[in-house]
Amino acid sequence: MHRFRTIAILATLALATAGCSDDDSAGSGGAGVKIVRTTYGIPHVTADDYYGLGLGYGYAYAQDNYCVLMKEVVRANGQSALLLGDDGDLTEDFVYRFYNTDEYIENEFLGSAPQDLVDVVIGYADGMNRYLDETGLDGLAEGPEGCRNAEWVRPITAIDLGKMFRKLILRGSTGPLAPAIIAAEPPAESAATADLRAPQSFEFAAADLGLTPPTEMGSNAIAVGSDASQTGYGILFGNPHFPWSGPERFYMAHLTIPGVYDVMGASLHGLPVINIGFNSNLAWSHTVSTARRFAFFELQILEDDPMKYRFDGEIRDIEAIPVSAEITLEDGTVETRNETIFMSHLGPIVDIGGINEIVGGWPTAFGTVLAAADANLFNTAALVQWFEMGKAQNTGELADALGLLGVPWVNTIAADRNGRAFYADIGAVPHITAEKLEACADTTLTGLLTSQGFPSLDGSRSECELGNSPNTREGILGVDELPWLDTDTYVANCNDSYWLSNPDQLLEGFSPIIGRERVQQSFRTRQGFVQIAERLAGSDGLGAPGFDIELMQEMLYGNRNLGGELILADVLSICSAVSDWAAYSDNPATAAEACAVLGDWDGRFDVDSVGSHIWQEFWGEVAMPAGFWNVPFDPEDPVYTPRELNTDNEAVIEAVQLGLGAAVDELVSRGLPMDRPWGEVQYRPDGNQRIAIHGGNPSSMFSAIGARYVDDQGLGDIRSGNSYIQTVTWDETECPDAFAVMTYAQSTDPASPHYADMTRVYSAEEWVDMPYCEEDIAAEAISETEL
């Protein structure tokens, strides 16, 4: 506890000394803090100690994005409905008021962290506060993500940051479960009088539950080892597909304590350590994992008392815990709202009836109720995890760092100077083995939910509780039960499961809660492996076999589309056979024109490609009936199956015709001509200018951009996709050879010179040479600040 007494004291000092002069220092340490910004506004923070490192990083981040983090602090404190108006979420507020108490964050979440990390967090809060004091409310950013003169802006503390960190950790579990937690309410009548239904099967889309990673949360990553590298050194390509706005944007930085810590890369907003990056000898990235981070338990409630349930033949109580949150009404008055969270010994009661009345309710159709167990609920190791990863110097040390099991919902892909390539889905996963799932998903409801990808167990038996592994946090799988691969060839992941990390070294025999094996892969995953195979064979027209860093960069900037490569020729044949498009489109002449444009399309999603928008709309519209593919999926050939359009099947031919007709009608309704270049269709606005954006829908290609239409102006609302992209390798020198780009640039302030400058770098398919060593930083320096 002595460590957190320091936190509490220094957090208070952060408030009291936010206005200190340059000669004063809030908290302990902090001398010798220097921030050197290089081209495109990348801060290189150097300090003598960890507090100073946090101070410099928090200050530099605040200069570019203060308001983004401040708004997330409001949310993590459960005050969004009180302070953020239409952007507030009262349901979410209740959940974070319940879980993010000051006491838990102080005594457990931050109280269990090593002192060095605690110092970084305190320093970061102080750096944010120093910027606010110097800038003032009227100097803060304007624009969609700004907060100039907002009443909810205030100095922050280390506890505020701890709440924000925990909210991020729960992003794949309790966070999206919030509506189901608050919806749970016991019935007025007993379970015995409920209208029970007992179906044998049902289906619902996993996305309907809101518990699958949304489309804006994906990633690609490739690590090449010495046997696949032209140089013998490892090579890493990392490309998270994250939102282009809000706190899940990345921010580029370089953090250094000379001789102690030296890491460059990017962090999610507000995190004081590098999440994805590199050091002198190691580079790593993350991709969103398929592993479930929670499990449902079916409780057998009493017929005459729905607040009690049976467990091992005994009767247990469901505890009702009141929680309150405030909301500001339209007339400006503040009202306190009250809810109740109902807790079993296995976790909170949830009502997922919003997706299906059978699985939801209290009771469900089976006279039961569901509780949710979250593997990340008491995960206090996540921030420590990234802290230690940045110190690792090879894949072996990285694997040791991952043994903390703090990674909350991502895979890790890495390469090192020694020529090793590494993949792991090592993190916090509920301890449910395949054997336990088979034995305990034995009721109708647990079986149905499990079959839909939501592991669910009988909550009436102790043998079905989450298990434990030696030397591991309670209730989660141990390292030896999780998939990983360390090789001198290559590994890759594009958000399918661990199974296909390398087609020649399949990972099999793991618990289904981590992911599925021997199942069809996404087109994005397949395209990644197709391009790797062609590169290793030297059959892609790019030169001798194997990778160097420029050839790795071509994986992304080639903007290839696997869907087009597989079936475009057959689609064109079907097109040419249609004499009258009136049966398939409201714009028959334009549909015929679209066929001609596709005939000349280069098959890419470059900014000057013509026909890309037709293909993207077609791919989104075309139905894929049974028999769509001539060669069906084969688990022995997962990269190259399914393939070949079945042009002998009339239903398939009609599906193609209807899909293309619908695509044309959509484009016409948007006012988009068939011959418009892709970069004029998809763009990022910058004032009165448009920056052309290459890449396309992640459902059919490797370079992923998720965009929405803006009236008749094209795809001008980039929601997600390619974000912080890094390629890293080494040579005989001490400095890593790293190139990166931030697709949306460093700052969310439209008045900043770094609001869209790197977007233009991305648009031009160029890279930022990342200055890591001192002489390179000095050569690229554009400003210097000492704190």
Side-chain angles (χ1 to χ4, degrees):
M1 292 294 295
H2 68 280
R3 282 195 303 254
F4 202 85
R5 290 195 188 100
T6 304
I7 293 180
I9 293 168
L10 293 180
T12 302
L13 282 172
L15 297 176
T17 62
C20 61
S21 71
D22 287 355
D23 295 328
D24 297 326
S25 189
S28 60
V33 180
K34 183 168 67 173
I35 305 168
V36 176
R37 287 192 184 260
T38 54
T39 311
Y40 303 106
I42 301 170
H44 302 255
V45 181
T46 305
D48 294 338
D49 56 34
Y50 284 105
Y51 171 81
L53 196 66
L55 179 73
Y57 193 17
Y59 185 86
Y61 167 83
Q63 289 178 308
D64 292 314
N65 300 289
Y66 176 90
C67 297
V68 177
L69 179 56
M70 189 64 243
K71 182 175 287 188
E72 189 65 0
V73 165
V74 170
R75 293 186 179 281
N77 274 280
Q79 296 178 311
S80 69
L82 172 67
L83 300 174
L84 300 182
D86 292 341
D87 290 336
D89 186 331
L90 185 61
T91 296
E92 184 179 85
D93 287 346
F94 284 125
V95 169
Y96 290 112
R97 297 281 288 182
F98 180 75
Y99 283 112
N100 269 353
T101 64
D102 288 356
E103 293 75 17
Y104 177 81
I105 299 300
E106 176 177 340
N107 298 327
E108 302 294 335
F109 190 82
L110 290 174
S112 63
Q115 189 63 47
D116 289 344
L117 182 57
V118 170
D119 288 345
V120 170
V121 175
I122 297 170
Y124 196 97
D126 286 357
M128 286 278 292
N129 294 336
R130 181 163 181 163
Y131 172 77
L132 174 62
D133 183 68
E134 292 178 358
T135 303
L137 287 173
D138 58 356
L140 296 174
E142 296 182 295
E145 299 200 63
C147 60
R148 180 171 293 182
N149 292 317
E151 295 181 356
W152 42 267
V153 172
R154 61 170 174 80
I156 65 171
T157 69
I159 291 176
D160 287 321
L161 291 178
K163 292 178 180 182
M164 189 274 295
F165 303 153
R166 195 180 194 210
K167 182 175 183 290
L168 177 65
I169 291 168
L170 299 178
R171 174 68 174 78
S173 45
T174 292
L177 273 171
I181 293 171
I182 298 304
E185 184 175 350
E189 75 275 16
S190 70
T193 63
D195 179 21
L196 303 184
R197 304 154 311 279
Q200 298 304 305
S201 65
F202 66 90
E203 281 193 18
F204 59 86
D208 290 343
L209 193 50
L211 300 173
T212 54
T215 55
E216 64 266 23
M217 299 288 280
S219 305
N220 299 332
I222 302 168
V224 165
S226 56
D227 280 6
S229 169
Q230 292 181 356
T231 66
Y233 295 99
I235 307 171
L236 178 80
F237 167 83
N239 178 17
H241 302 154
F242 271 46
W244 279 35
S245 62
E248 288 164 350
R249 280 172 53 125
F250 283 94
Y251 183 73
M252 295 168 71
H254 183 189
L255 307 180
T256 304
I257 299 175
V260 177
Y261 188 83
D262 194 6
V263 188
M264 190 172 188
S267 308
L268 293 176
H269 281 216
L271 267 68
V273 295
I274 298 299
N275 298 127
I276 291 175
F278 59 93
N279 57 36
S280 295
N281 299 303
L282 176 76
W284 79 95
S285 191
H286 292 301
T287 60
V288 176
S289 162
T290 58
R292 291 290 181 202
R293 308 298 166 162
F294 64 93
F296 292 130
F297 285 91
E298 184 182 20
L299 305 184
Q300 305 295 326
I301 55 177
L302 302 190
E303 292 182 350
D304 59 351
D305 189 346
M307 290 293 289
K308 298 181 183 293
Y309 63 100
R310 295 181 178 87
F311 185 77
D312 276 352
E314 299 179 349
I315 305 301
R316 296 201 176 193
D317 292 324
I318 295 173
E319 183 182 6
I321 306 173
V323 61
S324 63
E326 293 179 310
I327 183 171
T328 301
L329 304 178
E330 289 186 4
D331 64 2
T333 60
V334 174
E335 184 174 288
T336 298
R337 299 284 176 87
N338 299 300
E339 277 290 351
T340 303
I341 291 178
F342 297 92
M343 191 68 66
S344 73
H345 80 286
L346 294 166
I349 307 302
V350 293
D351 181 353
I352 56 176
I355 56 132
N356 189 295
E357 65 177 5
I358 297 168
V359 301
W362 188 339
T364 67
F366 305 91
T368 58
V369 73
L370 292 174
D374 184 349
N376 275 314
L377 195 59
F378 301 107
N379 179 359
T380 61
L383 213 60
V384 184
Q385 180 85 84
W386 280 304
F387 194 51
E388 294 302 320
M389 287 170 65
K391 298 177 184 178
Q393 296 298 309
N394 54 58
T395 59
E397 292 181 9
L398 178 67
D400 291 342
L402 289 172
L404 291 169
L405 294 171
V407 171
W409 33 262
V410 290
N411 303 291
T412 302
I413 297 87
D416 68 19
R417 183 186 287 269
N418 301 325
R420 302 300 296 179
F422 179 82
Y423 162 84
D425 193 350
I426 295 178
V429 181
H431 197 296
I432 301 174
T433 63
E435 294 75 19
K436 177 169 288 189
L437 195 59
E438 182 176 0
C440 292
D442 58 346
T443 68
T444 302
L445 181 55
T446 58
L448 293 173
L449 282 168
T450 299
S451 71
Q452 297 297 308
F454 298 99
S456 304
L457 307 176
D458 182 352
S460 68
R461 296 181 283 152
S462 58
E463 61 263 32
C464 295
E465 288 184 292
L466 298 182
N468 294 295
S469 294
N471 304 312
T472 302
R473 251 186 353 266
E474 184 176 348
I476 64 173
L477 293 171
V479 171
D480 292 342
E481 298 162 298
L482 297 166
W484 61 276
L485 177 62
D486 195 335
T487 179
D488 57 7
T489 56
Y490 71 91
V491 296
N493 183 268
C494 301
N495 304 126
D496 279 303
S497 82
Y498 58 85
W499 175 61
L500 187 65
S501 301
N502 180 314
D504 299 320
Q505 302 179 69
L506 298 175
L507 299 174
E508 297 185 328
F510 295 92
S511 171
I513 197 171
I514 310 169
R516 298 192 298 163
E517 300 172 4
R518 301 180 68 79
V519 296
Q520 184 172 322
Q521 306 292 287
S522 72
F523 285 92
R524 181 158 53 88
T525 290
R526 290 175 61 192
Q527 179 163 13
F529 284 113
V530 165
Q531 290 185 233
I532 291 170
E534 291 176 353
R535 180 80 299 272
L536 295 182
S539 61
D540 55 5
L542 298 176
F547 283 93
D548 62 17
I549 196 165
E550 291 182 355
L551 292 166
M552 182 64 81
Q553 292 167 354
E554 182 63 19
M555 287 282 298
L556 180 76
Y557 283 170
N559 287 311
R560 291 171 56 177
N561 184 281
L562 183 63
E565 292 175 13
L566 288 174
I567 67 171
L568 176 60
D570 290 326
V571 169
L572 291 174
S573 295
I574 293 171
C575 262
S576 64
V578 177
S579 58
D580 184 2
W581 279 96
Y584 311 108
S585 170
D586 295 334
N587 303 276
T590 308
E593 179 191 357
C595 286
V597 171
L598 283 178
D600 294 329
W601 178 42
D602 62 7
R604 309 273 175 151
F605 277 67
D606 293 325
V607 296
D608 57 356
S609 296
V610 177
S612 307
H613 62 315
I614 302 173
W615 187 260
Q616 179 156 296
E617 286 298 332
F618 163 73
W619 194 260
E621 294 283 357
V622 65
M624 294 188 180
F628 188 83
W629 302 102
N630 252 336
V631 180
F633 171 70
D634 179 356
E636 303 302 321
D637 188 17
V639 175
Y640 296 100
T641 60
R643 65 177 184 269
E644 298 176 13
L645 193 66
N646 185 359
T647 55
D648 293 330
N649 186 319
E650 289 299 323
V652 172
I653 293 173
E654 185 177 35
V656 169
Q657 293 164 334
L658 290 170
L660 188 58
V664 168
D665 290 345
E666 175 68 14
L667 293 173
V668 169
S669 73
R670 299 287 182 180
L672 295 173
M674 299 302 105
D675 60 354
R676 178 162 291 180
W678 181 238
E680 296 180 20
V681 174
Q682 182 170 271
Y683 59 91
R684 179 192 177 186
D686 179 21
N688 58 6
Q689 299 180 343
R690 295 181 176 183
I691 304 172
I693 300 296
H694 52 85
N697 192 299
S699 67
S700 66
M701 64 182 296
F702 188 78
S703 180
I705 293 290
R708 295 182 183 177
Y709 284 108
V710 179
D711 298 327
D712 61 349
Q713 301 299 308
L715 295 165
D717 181 11
I718 309 292
R719 307 288 294 183
S720 61
N722 300 335
S723 58
Y724 170 67
I725 311 165
Q726 66 173 14
T727 55
V728 185
T729 190
W730 295 267
D731 54 27
E732 67 281 358
T733 67
E734 293 184 2
C735 302
D737 191 17
F739 297 84
V741 67
M742 188 81 82
T743 54
Y744 37 67
Q746 285 281 82
S747 177
T748 50
D749 181 356
S752 168
H754 307 303
Y755 176 72
D757 54 351
M758 262 195 283
T759 306
R760 290 180 167 81
V761 175
Y762 171 78
S763 178
E765 299 185 5
E766 297 173 349
W767 298 86
V768 177
D769 193 342
M770 298 285 272
Y772 181 84
C773 290
E774 282 189 39
E775 58 272 23
D776 298 321
I777 296 170
E780 294 288 327
I782 59 175
S783 69
E784 182 174 321
T785 303
E786 293 188 6
L787 299 181

